[in-house]
């Protein structure tokens, strides 16, 4: 019955996700839609986004991409949006064309420091215990740590995650959205 009316003088860019929240893979799908808008939509503009608490440093992700904190509107209530821009992007999810990949890669890795090569294990047992996890994860982690592997869960700060992937020489992981960050790896990185 009631709607919050958004400013009719502002262009609103939809980065809303159909699931209603973001995990890493879904974040990058939405970023592709945002890419098309940022060079097209005239200022002033703001970005409408879904629930983002599953992505560590969500506003920092947006800042890397050229969206300031005060340009973000979390949609959690009915809104009336007088001027809405929705991307016509139709590619398959998690399938970047070279132009978008280059744009994301340069923005994220521009400030990453080079370290010695890292070996990473990506844990996901904390996401939904018993589902798509590793039943003997404690044993796997112990064995990999003996071989110098570092464990990532996705709860680390954005800079740590991007830096770890960019400096990785090997990644071992069950399938999960944290693997979307492999886009920051060097071509020589091996993924199991």
């Amino acid at each position: 019955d009631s709607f919050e009316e958004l400013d009719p003088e502002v262009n609103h860019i939809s980065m809303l996700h159909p699931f209603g929240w973001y995990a890493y893979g879904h974040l990058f799908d939405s970023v592709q839609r945002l890419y098309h808008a940022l060079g097209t939509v005239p200022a002033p503009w703001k970005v409408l986004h879904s629930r983002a608490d599953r992505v560590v440093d969500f506003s920092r992700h947006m800042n890397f991409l050229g969206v300031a904190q005060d340009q973000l509107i979390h949609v959690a209530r009915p809104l009336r949006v007088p001027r809405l821009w929705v991307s016509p992007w139709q590619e398959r999810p998690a399938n970047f064309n070279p132009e978008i990949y280059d744009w994301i890669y340069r923005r994220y890795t521009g400030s990453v420091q080079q370290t010695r090569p890292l070996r990473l294990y990506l844990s996901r047992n904390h996401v939904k215990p018993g589902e798509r996890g590793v039943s003997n994860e404690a044993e796997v982690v112990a064995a990999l740590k003996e071989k110098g592997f570092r464990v990532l869960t996705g709860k680390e700060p954005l800079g740590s995650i991007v830096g770890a992937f960019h400096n990785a020489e090997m990644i071992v992981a069950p399938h999960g959205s944290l693997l979307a960050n492999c886009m920051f790896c060097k071509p020589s990185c091996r993924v199991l």
Side-chain angles (χ1 to χ4, degrees):
D1 293 334
S2 63
F3 295 87
E4 179 183 338
E5 186 86 34
L6 295 182
D7 186 342
E9 299 303 315
V10 173
N11 288 300
H12 294 89
I13 300 169
S14 173
M15 200 183 81
L16 300 168
H17 198 279
F19 295 154
W21 51 266
Y22 299 95
Y24 277 102
H26 306 304
L27 169 70
F28 292 126
D29 292 342
S30 296
V31 161
Q32 293 189 76
R33 293 194 297 274
L34 181 63
Y35 170 80
H36 292 289
L38 292 182
T40 306
V41 178
W45 51 262
K46 294 196 175 195
V47 174
L48 304 177
H49 70 88
S50 306
R51 198 177 109 202
D53 56 324
R54 289 206 178 181
V55 176
V56 175
D57 293 341
F58 177 78
S59 60
R60 196 156 173 233
H61 276 277
M62 295 297 101
N63 190 257
F64 267 128
L65 298 168
V67 180
Q69 178 70 36
D70 63 353
Q71 291 175 299
L72 290 168
I73 299 174
H74 172 216
V75 177
R77 61 210 174 278
L79 301 174
R80 190 177 311 277
V81 186
R83 299 170 71 179
L84 180 65
W85 195 94
V86 179
S87 171
W89 175 75
Q90 294 297 321
E91 304 232 7
R92 290 193 318 254
N95 188 32
F96 298 117
N97 69 35
E99 183 181 341
I100 295 173
Y101 170 80
D102 185 59
W103 176 69
I104 294 172
Y105 184 85
R106 279 185 293 109
R107 286 181 174 268
Y108 278 81
T109 60
S111 60
V112 170
Q113 293 189 358
Q114 298 296 324
T115 67
R116 61 176 176 74
L118 300 175
R119 293 177 172 191
L120 305 176
Y121 172 70
L122 311 182
S123 174
R124 65 168 286 112
N125 278 29
H126 62 286
V127 178
K128 289 183 180 178
E131 293 185 34
R132 289 173 46 199
V134 177
S135 57
N136 64 334
E137 185 175 65
E139 294 169 44
V140 171
V141 167
L144 290 173
K145 280 187 172 181
E146 283 181 17
K147 297 187 181 312
F149 278 74
R150 176 177 158 195
V151 177
L152 291 183
T153 64
K155 295 180 179 180
E156 297 81 7
L158 175 60
S160 296
I161 291 172
V162 174
F165 276 84
H166 190 65
N167 289 297
E169 67 176 355
M170 176 178 274
I171 297 172
V172 174
H175 178 75
S177 62
L178 193 56
L179 281 166
N181 293 288
C182 282
M183 77 171 93
F184 305 123
C185 293
K186 296 180 177 86
S188 58
C189 180
R190 293 170 292 161
V191 180
L192 172 64

